[in-house]
Amino acid sequence: MKQPERIKGRATLSTVLKLALAGGLLYWLISSGAIRLEYLTVSTGSLPGMTCAALLALAAMQIGAARYSLLLSGVGTPVGASAALRINAVMYFFTQCVIGPASGDVARYYYTVKETGKGAGAGAAILMDRLIGTAGLLLFSAVGIGLEWNLVQDSEIFRSIVIPLGSLFFFLWLSLLLGFVSLTAGRAKAVMLSLLLMGVGTGFYASGAAEALEKGLLPVFAGSCLFALTIALLLPELKPGAGLAERFRTNRVGEKVIDLLDAVLLYADRWRYVFLTVLVTAVQHLLLISSLFFFSDSINIPVVPDFSEVFLAAPLSYLAGIIPAPAAGLGVNETAFEEFLKLGSSGVVVAGASIYLVQRVWITLFSLSGLGVLIFKTKTLPDG
């Protein structure tokens, strides 16, 4: 079999498996009663709340354009507000509506290059956007757990879920964070950041707040910090265009890797853009969580969850969407939100999948604006 045919075959198989996963999860949610048609209805009196929820979701989507624009500016690849909104719309369309190997990030990269002609800058911004987004969800997950701390302490099931999943994401994110700091700002700052995190964690456990979880989380926290710190100490300190350039610029792939690395390293001297992006990301996450809460208060479900319960379940469910699945984690997010919300409410709220599905429908409808961009806004690659 020729190489292009083999790649196409793997892509097709991957798509089929993802569809099977999504279909199986949705079938289970419907058959178990987590998704019911009557849950998805909206009374006339609830229309203002539904409108508010939809507008919050739309605002969160549009804030994503500002977030990406800030990161592009940080690597010297600025785009105008209208271009950022167009790219954001196309990204959401591919993420929500297109089934296949073309993801939202691929579309975002492609159309950013069409606007700017700078592939390395686009790649660096997308990479940083993913890192900050995941870090934000981890932080919001920790806050949500804190809001429902008594419940987490008393739930063996919750501890069995939170510990392995939280450990995995924390381990990966911390390794990336300290490694990036070591590469861009030097080992000394990476060590200082690691010691700061260890100090915060030590104070947390010394306070006795984590008594019920310390057997599971304390070793993971300490091990993750030490392993990530080891990575940071082993990595060299890099500067844009120096060190590895001559070694890797021997072929086209090496040149692309170095260009991307050089672009990422630009953030070392432009932390203001990263800090602003962190703030914008926090607002975006809060809007999405608030949107879920207002959706839950608008549809016809038996019991409406408290905001703290939604705050607990939502970030963990968004993190579950990292699992490869078609149409922005279709089925995966609904299942995660159903189970986390059920655990967070001690089994009282049993329609979490319906709540999340309503938000997904609205975001998908809003993402159709990206189709209009694809149809009516065509541009050619800039020269050079």
Side-chain angles (χ1 to χ4, degrees), residues 195-361:
L195 292 175
L196 175 62
L197 291 172
M198 289 182 182
V200 172
T202 301
F204 177 74
Y205 287 103
S207 68
E211 182 178 353
L213 289 176
E214 62 183 358
K215 290 183 179 179
L217 286 183
L218 183 56
V220 169
F221 178 82
S224 296
C225 286
L226 290 174
F227 185 83
L229 179 59
T230 301
I231 292 178
L233 292 174
L234 291 176
L235 289 173
E237 182 177 349
L238 301 179
K239 295 298 181 183
L244 300 178
E246 293 76 12
R247 184 182 303 177
F248 286 97
R249 287 192 190 277
T250 57
N251 57 65
R252 187 170 181 83
V253 174
E255 289 181 0
K256 296 297 183 184
V257 171
I258 287 300
D259 289 341
L260 174 61
L261 181 59
D262 282 348
V264 171
L265 291 175
L266 290 176
Y267 288 116
D269 299 321
R270 300 177 182 180
W271 284 102
R272 179 173 65 90
Y273 292 99
V274 177
F275 178 72
L276 290 174
T277 304
V278 169
L279 295 181
V280 171
T281 302
V283 173
Q284 185 182 31
H285 289 335
L286 187 58
L287 287 174
L288 286 171
I289 295 170
S290 300
S291 170
L292 277 173
F293 174 71
F294 279 101
F295 277 129
S296 70
D297 195 40
S298 303
I299 61 177
N300 186 32
I301 57 177
V303 179
V304 177
D306 295 333
F307 183 77
S308 61
E309 295 168 347
V310 174
F311 203 107
L312 170 66
L316 294 170
S317 302
Y318 289 134
L319 280 171
I322 294 176
I323 298 173
L330 179 62
V332 175
N333 294 114
E334 284 80 0
T335 302
F337 194 64
E338 173 72 22
E339 296 304 314
F340 282 127
L341 192 57
K342 190 182 298 182
L343 288 170
S345 62
S346 300
V348 175
V349 181
V350 292
S354 296
I355 299 169
Y356 198 98
L357 183 61
V358 172
Q359 186 187 65
R360 179 185 297 279
V361 169

Side-chain angles (χ1 to χ4, degrees), residues 10-87:
R10 290 176 181 174
T12 301
L13 177 61
S14 175
T15 300
V16 170
L17 292 176
K18 291 176 182 179
L19 287 172
L21 172 64
L25 289 173
L26 289 175
Y27 175 78
W28 176 74
L29 290 171
I30 293 172
S31 61
S32 65
I35 296 178
R36 299 183 184 180
L37 185 60
E38 61 263 31
Y39 289 169
L40 305 178
T41 59
V42 183
S43 65
T44 304
S46 298
L47 286 177
M50 175 65 70
T51 302
C52 178
L55 291 176
L56 287 173
L58 178 61
M61 293 172 65
Q62 301 312 310
I63 283 179
R67 167 177 153 180
Y68 184 52
S69 180
L70 277 171
L71 290 173
L72 285 173
S73 297
V75 290
T77 312
V79 295
S82 61
L85 289 171
R86 290 197 303 270
I87 294 170

